[in-house]
Amino acid sequence: MTSQTIVPKRMLGKSGIALSIVGLGTVKFGRVTGVKYPGVSSIPTDAEAGALLDAAERLEINLIDTAPAYGDSEERLGRLLQGRTHPWFIVTKAGEAWDGSSSSFDFSESAVSGSIDRSLDRLRVAELGCVLLHSDGHAEVEPEAFRGAIRALARAKTSGRVRAIGASVKSFEGAIRAFEWADVLMIELGGTPAMELVSERAAQLGIGILLKKTLASGHLDAIGPSPIVNAMTRAFRVPGVCSAIVGTTNIAHLRENCEAAVQATDEVAKGLSGERAGTEKGA
Ligand code: NAP
C-alpha cells in the first residue's frame, strides 16, 4: 500500500456517522490472558501502540473498538489519544467486566450506567461514539435480561454522552431481538449464512453493522488460501456491512488488512469478487 492510499468510509446505518471500512480492535492493547489469539505473550508498549495509532491515522482509519473487558485498553487509549486532533470514533462496551482472570456480566441499569461513566473517564472524552452491550450470549436471548441496560443506554444517548447504542451479539436470535432498539450491531459472520441475513435485514432497518473476528482471531489457517484477501472479500460481499474491526498490534498487518479491504470493496463494487473466489477454488 502506498502512503497516499486511504481507507474509504461508509455510513453506519442511518446514524449519519461515516466510518472507515476497517476499524482498529484493541483487545491486545490491554489483555493477554484469557484470549484465543495464537501466540500472544505481551501487550505493546506505549511507544508501539502510539506508532500503530499514527499508522492508522495516516490510513484515515477513524474507527477504534475497545471495552472495559479488554484489561486496561480503555485507560491506555485515553492516554494515547489525548492531544490528537484525529476525529476518532470510539466504540466501547458495557455489561462485561474482567478482573484479570475471569469475566463477570451485569446488565442491570445501574451497572451499565456506571460502566458508561467509567468509560467516559478512562477514555477522557465528553462523548463516546458508540456503546454496545457486551453480550455473554445468554442474556441476549432472554426477553427481559437487557431491559435495564437498554434504559441506561437510551438515557446516555438522550443526555449526549453517547452518540449511538447497540449490542455485540453472539447469536442470530440475539441479533433479531436487538433489531427492536439498537442503532448498531457488532456480529461475527462465522461459518453459516445466518449472520449474513442479519446484516442484510439490518441494512433495511437502518441499523449499522460492525464485524468482529473477521480474521478468525488470527487463526488464518482456518480461513484457507489467501486468508486476508478472502476474509475481507467475504466480509464486504455481505450487504449492510459498514466496517470490519480487525485486532492487530502490527503496523504491517494493519496496512495489509486495509489494502485487502480496499481491494475487496472495489471488486465487490465491480461484481468481480465471485469470479475471483471461483478462480481460487478451482486453482
Ligand atoms: P481478528 O480481528 O479476527 O484477529 C485478530 C488477530 O489476527 C490478532 O491476533 C492479529 O495478530 C492477527 N492479525 C491481524 N491482521 C493480520 C494479518 N494481516 N496477518 C496475520 N495475522 C493478522 O479477531 P479479534 O481481535 O478477536 O476481533 C477483532 C476485534 O473485534 C477485537 O479486537 C475487538 O475490538 C472486537 N471483538 C469484540 C468482541 C465482542 O464480543 N464484542 C469479541 C471479540 C472481538 P497481530 O497483532 O500479530 O496482527
Side-chain angles (χ1 to χ4, degrees):
M1 173 173 278
T2 67
S3 56
Q4 288 81 32
T5 308
I6 61 164
V7 177
K9 295 187 174 60
R10 286 185 172 182
M11 297 311 289
L12 180 67
K14 63 177 182 198
S15 66
I17 298 159
L19 296 181
S20 50
I21 61 168
V22 176
L24 180 60
T26 65
V27 176
K28 290 169 90 175
F29 274 43
R31 186 168 150 183
V32 289
T33 52
V35 290
K36 294 177 185 158
Y37 305 112
V40 186
S41 55
S42 62
I43 60 172
T45 63
D46 274 5
E48 289 164 341
L52 191 73
L53 292 171
D54 291 343
E57 291 185 2
R58 283 194 296 274
L59 290 157
E60 296 202 12
I61 290 174
N62 69 343
L63 169 62
I64 194 158
D65 180 67
T66 182
Y70 300 167
D72 61 357
S73 170
E74 284 190 322
E75 287 95 332
R76 295 195 77 200
L77 286 180
R79 202 168 61 237
L80 291 163
L81 293 178
Q82 196 160 49
R84 289 175 183 263
T85 53
H86 192 74
W88 283 104
F89 184 87
I90 303 175
V91 178
T92 190
K93 317 209 178 60
E96 178 178 355
W98 169 255
D99 68 5
S101 57
S102 64
S103 275
S104 57
F105 295 87
D106 187 344
F107 298 105
S108 65
E109 187 169 352
S110 59
V112 169
S113 192
S115 178
I116 293 169
D117 289 342
R118 287 190 295 280
S119 291
L120 286 162
D121 281 351
R122 289 193 286 241
L123 288 158
R124 305 184 191 190
V125 292
E127 183 188 60
L128 296 162
C130 178
V131 177
L132 303 173
L133 297 183
H134 211 161
S135 178
D136 58 356
H138 303 293
E140 69 192 42
V141 295
E142 290 168 20
E144 300 297 321
F146 279 170
R147 184 181 286 262
I150 295 167
R151 270 200 302 268
L153 291 178
R155 203 174 45 245
K157 186 175 159 185
T158 309
S159 64
R161 289 178 299 149
V162 177
R163 287 181 74 185
I165 61 174
S168 174
V169 292
K170 297 191 186 229
S171 67
F172 179 80
E173 189 183 343
I176 301 299
R177 284 179 183 274
F179 280 169
E180 289 167 22
W181 61 272
D183 305 318
V184 178
L185 288 181
M186 184 180 283
I187 61 172
E188 178 185 358
L189 286 179
T192 71
M195 289 311 214
E196 298 184 11
L197 295 176
V198 164
S199 183
E200 202 165 341
R201 181 68 183 135
Q204 291 160 357
L205 296 170
I207 296 169
I209 290 289
L210 303 177
L211 298 183
K212 59 186 172 185
K213 304 187 184 180
T214 306
L215 299 183
S217 295
H219 298 277
L220 302 187
D221 48 349
I223 301 173
S226 308
I228 309 299
V229 170
N230 272 328
M232 290 297 179
T233 303
R234 161 124 202 263
F236 289 107
R237 262 205 302 243
V238 176
V241 169
C242 173
S243 310
I245 295 172
V246 183
T248 187
T249 48
N250 178 311
I251 292 172
H253 287 172
L254 180 70
R255 290 203 189 102
E256 181 184 11
N257 300 338
C258 291
E259 188 171 42
V262 171
Q263 181 185 332
T265 50
D266 284 351
E267 289 190 359
V268 168
K270 291 179 197 148
L272 296 175
S273 64
E275 277 171 41
R276 195 184 52 72
T279 309
E280 287 199 356
K281 245 183 239 157

